[in-house]
Amino acid sequence: ILNVEQSPQSLHVQEGDSTNFTCSFPSSNFYALHWYRWETAKSPEALFVMTLNGDEKKKGRISATLNTKEGYSYLYIKGSQPEDSATYLCAFNPQGGSEKLVFGKGTKLTVNP
Amino acid sequence: GAGVSQSPRYKVAKRGQDVALRCDPISGHVSLFWYQQALGQGPEFLTYFQNEAQLDKSGLPSDRFFAERPEGSVSTLKIQRTQQEDSAVYLCASSLPWGRNYEQYFGPGTRLTVT
């Protein structure tokens, strides 16, 4: 059974704080790692897709890194804003399978003004 | 352009009723996925189409669940004789090319409540 773990489960920060969360996945069977941002009552929005060990991607104040050898990815948010409040999901795509994604339970971020 | 749309957005069904959930993918997208998100969990894969072919239905929890995409565009997820454990958000996603490192574009989901 493929297991994707995300931590922490939830996080409350103040506006302006920088923060990061972790996604752990099986390192022996890796093909791709996806990060999504999901605001309440909206569609999950793709942030990053990463495939190579050592990948670093950035979109505005949000960035992500990937370590496929040890099976983890970090998502960083610099200078959090209230509009960053959302659930951040990571999803793992294993080798040898179909295109289906295996999701973690997500990290719920609340940014207080 | 238009994203993935799903209808209805909310559905309340009495136990034992049949329901049909619709997904309109982004025009031209080859791959279409259904996921189920129960309360407190991450989305879980149900089934996957490439055009009209259902290539993977390993995630469908029982034979009460059926999905189709007859013309390779719109898809319907049908649940027969709904049970309380079917209460969840059902997400549809589509992607353009075949390829596992491409983004999946999600709809807003249908929240199903079975009473």
Side-chain angles (χ1 to χ4, degrees):
Chain A
I1 296 177
L2 297 172
N3 210 23
V4 177
E5 301 283 346
Q6 289 190 248
S7 63
Q9 189 172 356
S10 66
L11 193 54
H12 291 250
V13 301
Q14 290 298 123
E15 182 174 356
D17 288 351
S18 293
T19 187
N20 65 85
F21 349 116
T22 304
C23 172
S24 301
F25 52 85
S27 59
S28 60
N29 201 26
F30 177 84
Y31 186 85
L33 194 284
H34 299 237
W35 280 100
Y36 286 86
R37 163 196 159 91
W38 194 4
E39 290 182 69
T40 304
K42 294 188 178 179
S43 304
E45 171 197 358
L47 291 174
F48 306 112
V49 181
M50 295 184 287
T51 57
L52 298 176
N53 184 45
D55 258 355
E56 291 188 23
K57 296 217 172 175
K58 187 175 180 182
K59 184 185 281 191
R61 294 178 293 99
I62 304 177
S63 60
T65 62
L66 178 67
N67 183 322
T68 61
K69 295 189 187 306
E70 296 182 42
Y72 66 83
S73 175
Y74 293 137
L75 188 80
Y76 300 91
I77 303 178
K78 185 177 176 182
S80 303
Q81 300 296 308
E83 58 265 30
D84 295 329
S85 297
T87 295
Y88 291 82
L89 291 164
C90 77
F92 168 71
N93 191 225
Q95 277 279 7
S98 68
E99 295 178 49
K100 68 184 177 189
L101 297 177
V102 180
F103 280 88
K105 292 184 180 182
T107 293
K108 184 173 182 179
L109 174 67
T110 304
V111 182
N112 300 310
Chain B
V4 177
S5 61
Q6 293 186 246
S7 60
R9 290 291 309 274
Y10 304 92
K11 176 70 179 177
V12 179
K14 290 187 177 176
R15 192 177 358 177
Q17 281 185 334
D18 298 348
V19 298
L21 312 180
R22 178 185 168 109
C23 173
D24 285 81
I26 295 172
S27 177
H29 276 198
V30 168
S31 298
L32 185 145
F33 306 82
W34 285 98
Y35 295 88
Q36 177 194 58
Q37 190 197 27
L39 190 64
Q41 304 297 315
E44 292 192 5
F45 171 79
L46 294 177
T47 188
Y48 156 57
F49 292 85
Q50 196 177 119
N51 295 306
E52 68 278 5
Q54 189 174 20
L55 297 188
D56 186 346
K57 54 182 181 179
S58 62
L60 295 176
S62 77
D63 58 7
R64 296 185 296 104
F65 286 71
F66 172 76
E68 60 183 4
R69 193 186 186 199
E71 297 177 359
S73 55
V74 171
S75 177
T76 304
L77 177 68
K78 297 179 180 178
I79 309 173
Q80 296 178 322
R81 304 181 304 280
T82 52
Q83 304 295 313
Q84 282 194 313
E85 62 264 27
D86 300 335
S87 296
V89 175
Y90 291 85
L91 290 166
C92 174
S94 69
S95 68
L96 176 57
W98 185 89
R100 287 172 285 152
N101 58 338
Y102 289 100
E103 295 174 351
Q104 293 185 17
Y105 293 84
F106 280 83
T110 294
R111 182 177 294 277
L112 173 65
T113 303
V114 181
T115 61

